[in-house]
């Protein structure tokens, strides 16, 4: 990049980071452009020079989170050691994504809704959807590799199983966040032990001989 492009990219990064932090802290609806302006130290005019509006910021936050998740999952899927080793790494990647990019998943839902409402999508929405397809392809490849290893049942449909698994992992992580104290008190399981139990249950739904 030229120096001018590098400077612009730096400005965009500062603005987006401030918006992400506020969306996570206050929620998307409660955050205003003025809030973002104060947090990042840029004027409203400067923010609008780089992003169309608050929703555009949310979508770019989703894109950034998905890029990190895709790269993390790609590394997980390439690990040596077989299906379960990769599965543990996939679970860790999903956990980091939820922790480090808390507003990304909700923004992805907004992008998916936009796809259903219009055939003419903004470039950032198209990139989000493409990233989603890349992530799905990585996970489908992992399930298919497990079938070739004889670890995953032959009757499992990889594409559908990936959808169910992603939903299950997201729900499990959300449950741990919202009910963690109750679970620890009532079942004597800390967050790590509860997640381990849940991860094992989800893996068992795919496997020939779950242990």
């Amino acid at each position: 990049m030229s120096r001018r492009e590098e400077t612009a990219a730096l400005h965009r990064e500062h603005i987006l980071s401030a918006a992400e932090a506020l969306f996570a802290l206050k929620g998307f609806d409660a955050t205003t452009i003025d809030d973002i302006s104060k947090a990042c130290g840029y004027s409203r005019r400067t923010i609008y020079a780089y992003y169309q509006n608050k929703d555009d910021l949310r979508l770019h936050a989703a894109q950034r989170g998905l890029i990190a998740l895709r790269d993390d999952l790609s590394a997980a899927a390439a690990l040596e050691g077989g299906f379960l080793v990769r599965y543990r790494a996939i679970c860790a990647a999903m956990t980091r994504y939820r922790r480090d990019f808390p507003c990304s998943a909700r923004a992805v839902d907004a992008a998916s809704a936009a796809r259903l409402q219009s055939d003419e999508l903004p470039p950032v929405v198209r990139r989000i959807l493409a990233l989603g397809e890349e992530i799905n392809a990585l996970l489908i490849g992992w399930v298919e590799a497990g079938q070739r290893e004889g670890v995953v049942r032959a009757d499992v449909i990889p594409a559908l199983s990936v959808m169910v698994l992603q939903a299950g992992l997201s729900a499990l992580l959300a449950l741990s966040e919202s009910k963690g104290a109750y679970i620890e008190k009532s079942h004597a399981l800390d967050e790590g032990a509860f997640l381990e139990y849940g991860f094992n249950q989800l893996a068992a739904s795919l496997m020939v001989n779950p242990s």
Side-chain angles (χ1 to χ4, degrees):
M1 290 189 294
S2 68
R3 182 176 295 274
R4 182 175 182 178
E5 289 171 332
E6 289 178 353
T7 299
L10 185 62
H11 292 329
R12 290 178 64 87
E13 176 71 15
H14 285 326
I15 294 167
L16 184 57
S17 293
E20 278 186 300
L22 286 169
F23 293 159
L25 179 66
K26 299 180 61 175
F28 176 76
D29 291 336
T31 299
T32 66
I33 292 294
D34 284 336
D35 292 333
I36 297 168
S37 175
K38 291 175 184 176
C40 68
Y42 292 93
S43 67
R44 289 171 56 94
R45 181 177 179 179
T46 300
I47 292 172
Y48 283 123
Y50 291 105
Y51 296 97
Q52 295 178 8
N53 49 41
K54 193 173 70 167
D55 195 56
D56 190 35
L57 278 160
R58 176 170 63 170
L59 291 170
H60 278 86
Q63 177 184 256
R64 181 156 73 170
L66 287 178
I67 289 171
L69 178 60
R70 178 204 58 195
D71 294 346
D72 223 358
L73 290 175
S74 180
L79 287 174
E80 299 291 337
F83 177 80
L84 283 177
V85 169
R86 297 183 193 110
Y87 176 65
R88 298 294 180 191
I90 286 167
C91 291
M94 294 292 289
T95 302
R96 285 190 293 272
Y97 171 66
R98 189 173 183 89
R99 179 194 66 206
D100 297 341
F101 302 95
C103 65
S104 181
R106 292 188 292 274
V108 170
D109 291 340
S112 297
R115 176 178 58 180
L116 298 176
Q117 296 169 4
S118 174
D119 293 328
E120 296 184 10
L121 299 174
V124 65
V125 174
R126 292 199 296 270
R127 288 193 294 270
I128 287 170
L129 297 175
L131 284 163
E133 293 299 324
E134 289 182 51
I135 287 168
N136 287 340
L138 284 167
L139 294 174
I140 289 169
W142 160 70
V143 174
E144 290 173 340
Q147 289 179 318
R148 290 192 296 272
E149 293 170 17
V151 178
V152 175
R153 299 195 322 273
D155 65 325
V156 163
I157 302 172
L160 295 181
S161 295
V162 162
M163 293 173 63
V164 172
L165 179 67
Q166 286 180 296
L169 287 172
S170 295
L172 177 65
L173 292 166
L175 181 62
S176 178
E177 291 172 5
S178 63
K179 302 290 186 181
Y182 168 77
I183 291 168
E184 183 167 5
K185 181 178 179 180
S186 60
H187 297 284
L189 289 176
D190 63 18
E191 180 182 18
F194 171 67
L195 288 176
E196 180 76 7
Y197 178 81
F199 292 153
N200 288 340
Q201 291 294 303
L202 289 170
S205 70
L206 301 173
M207 297 174 66
V208 174
N209 294 308
S211 56

